[in-house]
Amino acid sequence: QPITTDMATLTKEIDKYAKDKKLEIETLKIREEYRKEFIGNVSHELKTPLFTVQGYLLTLIDGAINDEKFRDKYLNRANKGVERLIYIVKDLDMITRFEAGDLRLNITTFDIVELVKNVFDLLEMKAAKKKITLTFDKDYSKPIMVNADMERIQQVLTNLVVNSIKYGREKGTTEISIENLVKNKVIVRVTDNGEGIAKANLSRIFERFYRVDKSGSRKEGGSGLGLSIVKHIIEAHDEKIYIESELGVGSEFSFSLEKAK
Ligand code: ADP
């Protein structure tokens, strides 16, 4: 490494070094903020179900265990709380693995029409419970083959359809459709006429833990991780996810996939 003797060059180098260091410190600060917020969110998210479970267990210990009717009811509720905790931890684990880059996709060639039909059949009942009509134009008579991770794409589609039911209006509709583009892509769309999302919140919708209406979403039993996972999965495929939404009118989520040759 040559030693700089010329004063002007030296000053320039020192300035550049200082600037780089400053940027580095700024980046570290932002990262630290992000980390703090993340830990805060995790503990907040875990606290509610944990206290609920503890509440039921304490009541049982206090004597409810001797009353057959209460015993079963409280044990079941405690179990529901534990189930919820497991869901949250599993989701977090998946996000962490995606962010660390150690979640590999298992790419195969499969028929996206078939996959949509499966998701449709699995969720039709859930939609019907809220009097929401799920539609998928069964007219896709020919298969459309895509290259992707089938299990993960099923997860994406399930998340989007479940959301459209959760945030849909009673007697509303959710439409799933596939657009077979001339080029090498297909677009899968999930469109609802539910509560919609205000413009101001749209840009944050894919952030982990982000929910528009905390109380409302909690009633629906979400943790704000679903869309973050959806985005990770689509981006791991090098594809894109789009959202269009209008408050009080409805939302449309769509994502692209690569067609098999
Ligand atoms: P959650 O577990 O809260 O459902 P998500 O990450 O799946 O978490 O979604 C984040 C937030 O985005 C939801 O809490 C809700 O406010 C909003 N959202 C998602 N999908 C829809 C939709 N189809 N219509 C209206 N709002 C939606």
Side-chain angles (χ1 to χ4, degrees):
Q1 186 115 17
I3 297 167
T4 316
T5 45
D6 149 35
M7 202 55 202
T9 316
L10 198 61
T11 314
K12 239 191 225 160
E13 273 178 15
I14 292 171
D15 279 356
K16 188 180 174 311
Y17 177 79
K19 206 174 148 202
D20 285 352
K21 268 283 168 245
K22 212 171 151 191
L23 273 179
E24 206 178 293
I25 292 167
E26 283 306 313
T27 313
L28 285 175
K29 267 191 197 156
I30 292 169
R31 230 182 257 166
E32 179 59 13
E33 281 298 310
Y34 192 64
R35 198 186 62 84
K36 271 191 202 151
E37 192 189 307
F38 179 65
I39 293 175
N41 281 333
V42 173
S43 51
H44 178 84
E45 229 26 79
L46 296 180
K47 241 190 267 169
T48 318
L50 267 176
F51 285 149
T52 310
V53 172
Q54 191 191 33
Y56 287 121
L57 292 179
L58 284 176
T59 316
L60 284 162
I61 292 168
D62 265 0
I65 190 115
N66 300 317
D67 184 322
E68 203 170 310
K69 203 177 88 203
F70 283 115
R71 186 187 62 202
D72 289 354
K73 192 166 151 188
Y74 289 169
L75 278 175
N76 272 317
R77 288 190 183 171
N79 189 47
K80 279 259 151 57
V82 173
E83 270 173 10
R84 187 163 152 62
L85 284 165
I86 291 174
Y87 274 126
I88 296 173
V89 172
K90 273 191 178 162
D91 280 355
L92 275 173
D93 183 55
M94 182 172 276
I95 292 177
T96 314
R97 279 163 64 201
F98 263 119
E99 290 182 354
D102 67 352
L103 220 152
R104 292 273 160 88
L105 295 178
N106 175 24
I107 305 283
T108 59
T109 303
F110 63 90
D111 178 12
I112 185 71
V113 177
E114 190 65 37
L115 185 104
V116 171
K117 280 182 185 162
N118 279 343
V119 172
F120 184 95
D121 290 342
L122 285 170
L123 294 174
E124 205 178 8
M125 275 281 285
K126 189 180 174 71
K129 270 192 194 149
K130 207 172 159 179
K131 296 196 176 70
I132 286 179
T133 314
L134 206 53
T135 68
F136 173 53
D137 199 341
K138 304 252 170 147
D139 242 23
Y140 298 98
S141 50
K142 277 194 218 143
I144 304 174
M145 304 307 284
V146 295
N147 296 326
D149 186 323
M150 194 167 90
E151 214 177 298
R152 301 261 181 251
I153 296 301
Q154 170 146 3
Q155 190 181 0
V156 166
L157 204 54
T158 305
N159 264 333
L160 294 180
V161 176
V162 167
N163 273 352
S164 79
I165 298 169
K166 265 162 56 171
Y167 306 106
R169 69 182 85 233
E170 189 122 334
K171 294 192 185 134
T173 55
T174 290
E175 189 191 339
I176 316 175
S177 63
I178 303 174
E179 190 179 350
N180 191 353
L181 300 181
V182 191
K183 286 264 171 76
N184 60 339
K185 299 280 179 193
V186 293
I187 307 281
V188 183
R189 285 201 177 81
V190 178
T191 316
D192 66 54
N193 59 359
E195 63 189 53
I197 302 158
K199 274 230 157 47
N201 301 318
L202 264 187
S203 62
R204 303 199 58 192
I205 216 78
F206 292 106
E207 282 175 28
R208 47 193 188 191
F209 296 115
Y210 187 79
R211 291 139 137 188
V212 173
D213 171 8
K214 315 267 182 235
S215 54
S217 299
R218 184 140 306 137
K219 195 182 74 208
E220 291 291 353
S223 59
L225 296 171
L227 283 181
S228 171
I229 291 176
V230 161
K231 187 164 191 264
H232 274 300
I233 293 176
I234 297 301
E235 288 182 350
H237 280 83
D238 275 331
E239 297 293 343
K240 290 209 164 65
I241 176 138
Y242 308 93
I243 168 166
E244 269 177 52
S245 188
E246 201 177 320
L247 194 62
V249 178
S251 314
E252 179 175 285
F253 288 83
S254 55
F255 60 89
S256 57
L257 287 177
E258 185 193 86
K259 258 195 279 187
K261 295 242 162 61

